[in-house]
Amino acid sequence: MTIPRPPVAVLPDTADTRLLVDLTSHANDLSEASHALGCALSAGEESELWMPLTSHAVTAYIRPFIFSNVRRRLDEMPGIPAVPAALQTVHDIIRKYRNTTIAHSQSNLVMPLPVAILDAEGQGVDVMGVSVIHSMPLAVAERFANLIGAMEGNVELATQPILERLRTWLKDQAPETIAGWQLPEVIHAIDLEFTAVHRRKRIPHFTSYWRIEQPGEEPHYEQFSG
């Protein structure tokens, strides 16, 4: 019996495939930012979801522009156009907002106060801590959405010539050669073993976590995402 070959193969490690991997990773972060901000705009500025969604959009957007142990910064990669001049100001606002407010609590957008609770006569009866927080304004969020879209376009533009080079190269590869390419290593673990301690490596490796419905039941495969 002939075993059918899988319909896809993972390209071997080359300079172009490394570029494609890094750009794909950056595109994923920008897509995550776009999705989170889109959900925030749909929910509305008065929604209780506004602040967590805009905050996550900021975190995801800035990931490509900060140091990483496993990929090059987006703005240091070849072929990536700069942030459009008309959107540079909002890019700088988002970067500083991430650094001083979202990733660290340093800005005056959050004002923690020691508050005394008074009775009708002005006598102090209790003490509590209160934080006054200013979330991202709608006007900034709308400009931020334009910025994310522009950077997604830049990444797509830079990715196209790499795809074309790899497509041309792939046509010259024999089926026997392709069959010998290394497949990703996928291992399985239960959800209680979930961890993010391990860094990505050039050799594709992925852990899929299974959910156990009830004590004593066999692990139930819940979801795989690459």
Side-chain angles (χ1 to χ4, degrees), residues 188-195 207-212 219:
H188 302 278
I190 62 172
D191 53 2
L192 293 178
E193 296 174 345
F194 180 82
T195 178
T207 302
S208 182
Y209 293 93
W210 297 44
R211 179 165 60 88
I212 299 178

Side-chain angles (χ1 to χ4, degrees), residues 87-135:
L87 294 170
Q88 184 64 53
T89 297
V90 69
H91 175 83
D92 293 339
I93 290 172
I94 296 302
R95 180 192 288 274
K96 292 174 183 176
Y97 182 47
R98 179 265 179 194
N99 291 343
T100 65
T101 308
I102 304 302
H104 308 280
S105 184
Q106 300 174 359
S107 77
N108 62 359
L109 293 174
V110 179
M111 182 174 64
L113 296 171
V115 175
I117 307 300
L118 310 179
D119 62 17
E121 286 73 37
Q123 181 67 42
V125 296
D126 200 2
V127 171
M128 63 186 300
V130 174
S131 288
V132 180
I133 303 172
H134 201 305
S135 59

Side-chain angles (χ1 to χ4, degrees), residues 44-87:
E45 193 175 8
E46 302 305 318
S47 169
E48 63 181 11
L49 297 175
W50 178 262
M51 187 163 187
L53 286 170
T54 54
S55 295
H56 183 70
V58 168
T59 299
Y61 173 78
I62 293 298
R63 281 187 211 136
F65 301 97
I66 57 179
F67 172 77
S68 168
N69 286 297
V70 299
R71 67 182 184 186
R72 279 177 286 182
R73 283 175 40 160
L74 179 59
D75 50 358
E76 294 177 347
M77 294 189 66
I80 293 292
V83 174
L87 294 170

Side-chain angles (χ1 to χ4, degrees), residues 23-45:
L23 286 170
T24 300
S25 177
H26 289 312
N28 181 70
D29 284 338
L30 293 172
S31 176
E32 187 178 328
S34 178
H35 180 67
L37 189 59
C39 289
L41 291 169
S42 296
E45 193 175 8

Side-chain angles (χ1 to χ4, degrees), residues 187-205:
I187 63 174
H188 302 278
I190 62 172
D191 53 2
L192 293 178
E193 296 174 345
F194 180 82
T195 178
V197 69
H198 303 293
R199 293 177 181 170
R200 287 199 307 271
K201 297 181 179 179
R202 285 297 177 186
I203 299 175
H205 175 92

